Amino acid sequence: SLKETWKGDLLPFSIAVILSPSAVNSQPWFVENINNSLFIYRNLKAAKFGIIPLKIMHHYNQIDMGIYLYLIETCLNYHNYQYERLLEKKLNKNKILIAKYVYKNL
């Protein structure tokens, strides 16, 4: 649900991005929208989802995150947002910061 994957103000496409495909429907992403910045995290708890071994699930979750980032950028472009993507990798408790998008609506 959106409540489990998005924190902060919603954007016009917030509901659409939760429909992004993921391996065995694990949906490993989490977004924080703070001060015109989207912080995109990979939720490490999602790696423990289902019957797939962790080594394999970790690989699938990385692919899922790439698909999710593509969808985020497609939505930002469609809704005429100007943005800068900063790719990072920082561990924060049970999640890893994957990317930060600093945006403004034109």
Side-chain angles (χ1 to χ4, degrees):
S1 73
L2 192 57
K3 196 179 237 185
E4 295 172 351
T5 61
W6 192 284
K7 180 179 178 183
D9 293 336
L10 299 179
L11 296 175
F13 55 84
S14 297
I15 293 174
V17 294
I18 66 169
L19 300 175
S20 181
S22 65
V24 296
N25 209 21
S26 64
Q27 300 165 327
W29 46 79
F30 182 77
V31 178
E32 289 181 327
N33 185 7
I34 303 169
N35 298 328
N36 289 347
S37 294
L38 294 177
F39 295 86
I40 313 293
Y41 296 94
R42 182 167 61 93
N43 185 352
L44 295 176
K45 291 180 182 180
K48 298 175 185 171
F49 181 84
I51 60 171
I52 297 178
L54 285 176
K55 275 186 177 180
I56 296 170
M57 197 63 194
H58 172 74
H59 175 71
Y60 286 143
N61 283 168
Q62 290 182 359
I63 294 169
D64 294 343
M65 291 306 301
I67 294 167
Y68 188 75
L69 293 179
Y70 180 79
L71 185 57
I72 289 281
E73 290 188 20
T74 300
C75 290
L76 286 167
N77 290 330
Y78 179 81
H79 289 279
N80 296 315
Y81 282 84
Q82 188 176 50
Y83 63 90
E84 178 181 6
R85 177 185 0 104
L86 307 168
L87 295 176
E88 302 183 26
K89 194 165 187 179
K90 294 181 184 176
L91 183 61
N92 183 356
K93 293 187 182 179
N94 290 322
K95 56 190 178 185
I96 298 173
L97 178 63
I98 300 296
K100 175 182 176 183
Y101 290 85
V102 180
Y103 68 86
K104 65 180 177 180
N105 199 346
L106 300 177

